[in-house]
Amino acid sequence: MPALSSSFLPIMTVMSGQAEQMEAQRLSIEEMESSLTALLASEQFDWIRVENSDFDLAEIDAGAGLMAVGGPDPEEEAAAETAEPPATDPAIVEPEAAQPEQLEMDFDGLEADEALIDGRRRPGVPKELPDRITQNNPGAVSAPPPEAFPTDEFPVPDRWRILQTLCPQKGGDQSIYKVFGALKNNCSNTSNPYAQNVLKGDKPIPADKKPSFLKGDDWFFVVNAISDTVIEPRSFPIPVGVQTTERDNSIDVFGRSGSEVYAQTFITGFALIKGSTAYKPPDVEYRLTLATQINHVNVPERRVLFVEPSKTSNRTDWFVGVQEAFFDYHIRNTSARYDFDSFRIGIQPMQADFRGFLFQDNQLGFRLFGTRDNNRIQYNLGAFVQLEKDTNSGLNDITQTPRESYIFFANLYRQDLPFVGLTSQFSVTYNMNREKNDIEIDDNGFPVRPALIGDLRGRAYDVVYPGYAVDGRIGRINVTGQIYGAFGEDRNSIFTSEPAKIAAYFAAAEASYDVDFLRFRASGLFASGDGNPYNNTEAGFDAIFENPIFAGADTSYWIRQTIPFAGGGRAISINGRNGILNSLRSSKEQGQSNFNNPGTILAGVGVDADLTPDFRLSANANHLWFHKTESLEALRVEGSIPKDIGWDLSAAAIYRPNANQNLVFRLSGAALLPGKGFEDLFDQTDKRDFHYSILFNAILAF
């Protein structure tokens, strides 16, 4: 065994030397990779040095040495392969071959700035800052010291003045305008609605101009001015007066149908607001909005505009209405994200649902409202009394005693219910009407309460509208929908003169899909009609004060125009202006709801094309039907009336020169192609195949 061990000793020694040589070569390869990496990064190689100080780079160039980043010379490898191996005595162990010298990288000598490339930023290396800009901001509130705030971020006072501080002093250096050309409009023209100014509420009232009764800071004054111009040629069936007509020897029931409307409305609003309202509601708000309208109407028949047959068939009128006059108080914040509770009292806007199907108007009342869960939940609780309206303008008339019609409502909005992207609304609205003993004559001499229909007696009723609505999107499909029920009691049915139950239903939905600059829409609406006017149930759905944004809105002929119901009542219309329901009311503004009506069915399609950011084309095609015609048959004493009202076709062009709401111009045209039901009700004595409505509307706002 000892002899065997001594024979393995030379072999183990050789193997040990080869292992050490292989380890040295591995280290050389790693250093080679580091050197190649540095070479690709174009860094300097003055940090490469040899472990052995006797190593000469000239010898590397001559092939006399082996560099750590290289291998053996190819010529030497070829010579070694052809030479005969030397004779070796197995008993003699050759000494370990000399290992190549190792190179060491000195990273301490590398400067990071030397590796920077112009135009690129290296993380952790700050760029040189530009010269300090000195802002001239006299009278500004000084910022609190940083130690007053527990975090590194703290608010900047007078942030509405940040842009103003860049404005040069009058007569001073104007060179900043060469860098910021758009700044000049904000500095030199304070009347520009797109520039910051005190009248628009962009900046608080200066301390030296603030009235003494305004306590505290952050008081803003806001002025709004709107010009609304309407030019509207139109046609609709116009009944001939019983006593006289504009045309001699004319005994037709319906006369000529063409007419024109011209209306100019100036809306001026003023608001005094306390509190910075960028992220939270105002602490206090006082608001007053007046609307002044001048209108002129020309029709071809008498007793359309005035009850007296002696008066002419044209009228010019004007009126000033109070559309807003309220006080708003912020009670409290309920979360760090400015969820809040507030109340508002006075004449204020009120909308019962997303699209204005049930009640959308400015009325006198009290409202408690607020948000919860980071604004995902909104709620409203309110009580309103209806104001009398001016007959010809439809504006609020505060000189008259309010009506005995009261509205109580509660609604709750929840975002992302039932799907993400959809908002659900749950609502209950109660209309308590006590106008049974009222006799109201409008400004043109026509009775509006009670309506001249049925038994001509006064009415009082209670009706509750439970409702559910959705608005938002499901995937790429935009969706809006509304469901209402109407339940209650009418103290006097116009057909039986007896109390009757109210049980009516309403549903509407609109879906749209966007393809590039096009939006395709599909609309459907159902409002139940009364199928038996002589029983003790009124099943025709009617709203309180509708203003629907649906199926083309007021571009639509049926929504825009009022169709008189001649032969079954006096001063009664099938539908109301800016309304979609066939309610048989004397007036949407001054009349009462009527639940003995034929109901409404609508199915339509439309498309909106945003050709440019400031120009849109829209087109709509709606088909309309009566749901039930029994009430019409009873009032007209006819055996049967078809349900088909006809096709409502419309198109509109909307132009906004600055892609905002300050300048809006609209031109629309609509046509009603009568169906059998419409033709049965209205004899087309003027030989028209269709009725038309053309609307030009210009809105200028400051």
Side-chain angles (χ1 to χ4, degrees), residues 81-132:
E81 292 175 357
T82 58
E84 294 183 2
T88 304
D89 188 348
I92 301 175
V93 179
E94 294 290 333
E96 182 178 348
Q99 299 299 318
E101 256 71 51
Q102 303 296 319
L103 299 181
E104 180 181 339
M105 301 180 186
D106 184 10
F107 289 93
D108 296 335
L110 176 63
E111 295 293 336
D113 291 341
E114 295 176 359
L116 293 180
I117 300 175
D118 290 341
R120 300 183 64 181
R121 179 177 176 271
R122 183 168 181 171
V125 180
K127 296 178 64 176
E128 293 186 4
L129 298 176
D131 296 337
R132 180 186 296 273

Side-chain angles (χ1 to χ4, degrees), residues 78 102 124 156 223 234 490 589 600 617 644 657 687:
Q102 303 296 319
V156 178
V223 176
R234 59 185 181 169
D490 189 347
E589 290 82 9
T600 310
L617 292 178
D644 187 9
K687 308 304 180 184

Side-chain angles (χ1 to χ4, degrees), residues 455-520:
D455 62 2
L456 309 183
R457 294 177 57 189
R459 297 171 54 237
Y461 51 84
D462 294 275
V463 57
V464 177
Y465 298 90
Y468 173 73
V470 294
D471 189 77
R473 61 178 179 81
I474 302 176
R476 290 191 58 184
I477 301 176
N478 307 300
V479 178
T480 185
Q482 180 69 59
I483 299 174
Y484 277 121
F487 307 100
E489 183 183 20
D490 189 347
R491 303 291 193 277
N492 177 66
S493 174
I494 63 174
F495 287 97
T496 65
S497 300
E498 297 290 336
K501 295 181 180 179
I502 299 172
Y505 305 91
F506 173 90
E510 185 172 272
S512 63
Y513 187 82
D514 297 332
V515 179
D516 204 312
F517 64 95
L518 299 174
R519 170 169 289 187
F520 298 94

